[in-house]
Amino acid sequence: MGSTQAIWIKDPLGILAEGADRGIVVRDGRIVEKVAAGATPSTEAAVFDASDHVVLPGLINTHHHFYQTLTRAVPAAMDRELFPWLQALYPVWARLTPEALELGVTVATSELMLSGCTTTTDHHYVFPAGLEESVDIEVAVAQRLGLRVLLTRGSMNLSQRDGGLPPDSVVQDEDTILADSERVVAKYHERGEDAMVQIALAPCSPFSVTTSLMTKTAELAGKLDVRLHTHLAETEDENKFCEQLYKCRPLDYLENCGWLNARTWLAHGIHFNASEMKRLGKAKTTISHCACSNQILASGGCPVCEMEEAGVGIGLGVDGSASNDESNLMQEVRAAFLLQRARYGVGKVSHKDALRWATKGSAACVGRPELGEIATGKAADLALFRLDELRFSGHGDPLAALVLCGAHRADRVMVAGKWTVIDGAIPRLDVAELIRRHSAAARKLQAG
């Protein structure tokens, strides 16, 4: 395959990179050159005039549940904490169909892309009868849109009759889960720095899976060399559940199951104590901070500064659209900044920290060091924002304006050197028709 023409993303209004005042050159899916102030590229390249754009590394979403776009702002689940919130929604999710899931995934991924996201994870753990090929559906949507994904084969096998939280209708047995986990890894997991589709294994949480499944999933991930993901330390209720059922705290349980290692990233990480944070840092286990969801469910807030001081990597996740009610990663950056600034004060958290969590920090969560940074040799995954809306009028620092003034829509997005969003739209995606079909599917699902 021959080399493609290079593109000079020229003279940006602002860029999250040192020594790239005049922009960057991309070719063959990689950043091949940073162009310093007063310099010109050494590479012959077509020009993209970025003088009206602020350029970021593509944002990376480290925790989501795509299907939940079908259950946003559901009255029965509003104003509830996590456990009763889940109990209100499980029966609705049990009615998911392949067609509804495909629409839910398309809405979630489109919304993410339009917010500047170039790589996303998903945690799909609901497998009612007829939805056995959920991961296959997600892969097809991601490939159609050109989004880089780390899709997790989630699972639940501890239902209400066994002392767990979910109803019988949404769980599977251990053998089925492990066999399908192996199937989707073999079929879809790509390796190397150019990978567009990767698979991880993700039992849902300590209160919805058995110890046997947790342990065997960790063993399988080691054998297949893929990453591990789960929810942990999201609420005090979860701590109490673990202490009652397993006679230990959630992190002890995780370690007992063979999960406390560099393969694992965890969603939320709110209720860890100081010694547990040190253990996480030593193990190189990372955390996905989900600021909006944590605030809506009143779960608490991830102690990001203590975490980072203990050596724990922090990324950002929008979490499911039934608890966040949106899939906008740029808005998540602002929410994380505001939440943590209020907690720690001016001297400890800046807008640059929030941008770092959503880029380089998130890249560590997904095990992709070639992503999340504008540097020579890194992937050409970029998000370009214009500052020509009312919300930005009068701004000073363009990078700070993205976070402080509330950017929410990218004008251009590039994944692996290809434009996937142009002029604030996804080419060939009929958004009005998608909304019509998705809304109809959501109404049907919620009505029962």
Side-chain angles (χ1 to χ4, degrees):
M1 196 169 106
S3 179
T4 56
Q5 185 178 24
I7 303 170
W8 176 15
I9 298 172
K10 182 181 176 184
D11 293 333
L13 186 60
I15 185 166
L16 190 62
E18 297 293 326
D21 292 28
R22 295 216 65 202
I24 53 174
V25 180
V26 305
R27 186 179 60 206
D28 298 332
R30 287 267 180 278
I31 297 166
V32 294
E33 192 174 347
K34 292 198 296 184
V35 187
T40 54
S42 58
T43 311
E44 189 176 320
V47 170
F48 175 82
D49 180 1
S51 57
D52 290 329
H53 292 91
V54 184
V55 182
L56 299 180
L59 306 180
I60 300 168
N61 177 40
T62 58
H63 186 61
H64 205 350
H65 309 290
F66 292 161
Y67 72 90
Q68 290 183 15
T69 58
L70 294 153
T71 51
R72 304 191 215 235
V74 172
M78 288 167 65
D79 303 321
R80 292 177 174 226
E81 292 182 357
L82 179 66
F83 279 19
W85 174 86
L86 281 167
Q87 286 163 331
L89 287 167
Y90 278 140
V92 183
W93 297 337
R95 296 192 289 270
L96 270 172
T97 64
E99 296 76 21
L101 177 63
E102 195 269 342
L103 289 163
V105 171
T106 304
V107 163
T109 47
S110 300
E111 192 180 353
L112 282 165
M113 285 174 67
L114 291 168
S115 74
C117 178
T118 53
T119 299
T120 185
T121 62
D122 187 56
H123 189 183
H124 186 87
Y125 55 82
V126 178
F127 288 85
L131 214 60
E132 291 79 12
E133 296 191 346
S134 296
V135 176
D136 307 72
I137 290 167
E138 294 192 324
V139 169
V141 173
Q143 290 177 332
R144 188 169 75 239
L145 292 174
L147 183 62
R148 215 185 282 272
V149 289
L150 172 56
L151 302 170
T152 76
R153 203 300 180 185
S155 55
M156 297 194 294
N157 74 330
L158 188 71
S159 67
Q160 287 168 347
R161 68 182 173 200
D162 304 312
L165 210 62
D168 298 345
S169 56
V170 294
V171 304
Q172 295 176 302
D173 66 75
E174 183 182 283
D175 290 346
T176 300
I177 290 163
L178 294 171
D180 194 58
S181 297
E182 201 150 3
R183 176 187 75 84
V184 294
V185 171
K187 189 169 183 181
Y188 297 116
H189 185 71
E190 299 170 5
R191 303 192 183 271
E193 292 192 342
D194 296 322
M196 289 294 292
V197 177
Q198 292 193 320
I199 304 292
L201 305 184
C204 184
S205 61
F207 50 81
S208 57
V209 299
T210 61
T211 303
S212 173
L213 182 60
M214 283 290 286
T215 304
K216 287 180 181 173
T217 300
E219 290 167 357
L220 184 60
K223 182 181 111 177
L224 301 177
D225 189 24
V226 295
R227 294 183 77 71
L228 284 165
H229 184 53
T230 193
H231 300 90
L232 207 77
E234 183 176 0
T235 65
E236 288 289 7
D237 284 348
E238 182 194 313
N239 281 3
K240 289 175 196 154
F241 181 93
C242 278
E243 284 164 358
Q244 284 170 2
L245 195 64
Y246 305 122
K247 309 297 183 246
C248 63
R249 285 172 59 81
L251 191 68
D252 300 321
Y253 177 68
L254 199 77
E255 185 167 24
N256 293 341
C257 294
W259 277 63
L260 193 57
N261 54 55
R263 199 181 292 286
T264 300
W265 88 103
L266 303 169
H268 304 298
I270 297 168
H271 299 283
F272 290 126
N273 60 37
S275 67
E276 289 170 337
M277 291 181 210
K278 285 180 185 161
R279 286 162 64 195
L280 286 163
K282 188 178 177 186
K284 300 282 189 288
T285 300
T286 50
I287 300 290
S288 173
H289 173 35
C290 306
C292 289
S293 172
N294 293 163
Q295 289 175 89
I296 288 171
L297 293 174
S299 302
C302 178
V304 293
C305 290
E306 289 90 342
M307 288 272 198
E308 291 194 321
E309 284 161 12
V312 183
I314 300 290
L316 289 191
V318 300
D319 201 359
S321 296
S323 60
N324 182 335
D325 296 303
E326 66 174 359
S327 305
N328 189 307
L329 192 50
M330 195 64 217
Q331 289 282 287
E332 197 71 34
V333 172
R334 186 170 192 260
F337 164 71
L338 291 174
L339 179 70
Q340 301 300 346
R341 168 64 69 87
R343 180 176 189 151
Y344 292 107
V346 172
K348 294 276 278 184
V349 173
S350 79
H351 67 277
K352 287 187 177 176
D353 289 312
L355 289 168
R356 173 174 56 79
W357 296 330
T359 53
K360 201 171 178 182
S362 285
C365 285
V366 297
R368 301 289 299 270
E370 70 278 10
L371 307 179
E373 194 177 0
I374 295 174
T376 304
K378 301 282 185 177
D381 289 11
L382 305 166
L384 283 65
F385 294 82
R386 295 174 69 98
L387 301 183
D388 57 357
E389 298 174 60
L390 274 173
R391 72 181 70 224
F392 301 115
S393 185
H395 73 82
D397 182 309
L399 277 168
L402 290 181
V403 180
L404 301 178
C405 304
H408 65 94
R409 190 166 184 129
D411 182 62
R412 287 253 174 174
V413 175
M414 176 181 279
V415 181
K418 296 174 183 155
W419 294 115
T420 56
V421 172
I422 298 171
D423 298 331
I426 298 168
R428 298 175 300 283
L429 180 70
D430 185 338
V431 173
E433 176 64 8
L434 175 60
I435 291 171
R436 186 191 68 75
R437 293 178 60 216
H438 178 267
S439 297
R443 280 193 300 273
K444 185 177 177 184
L445 189 70
Q446 292 174 35

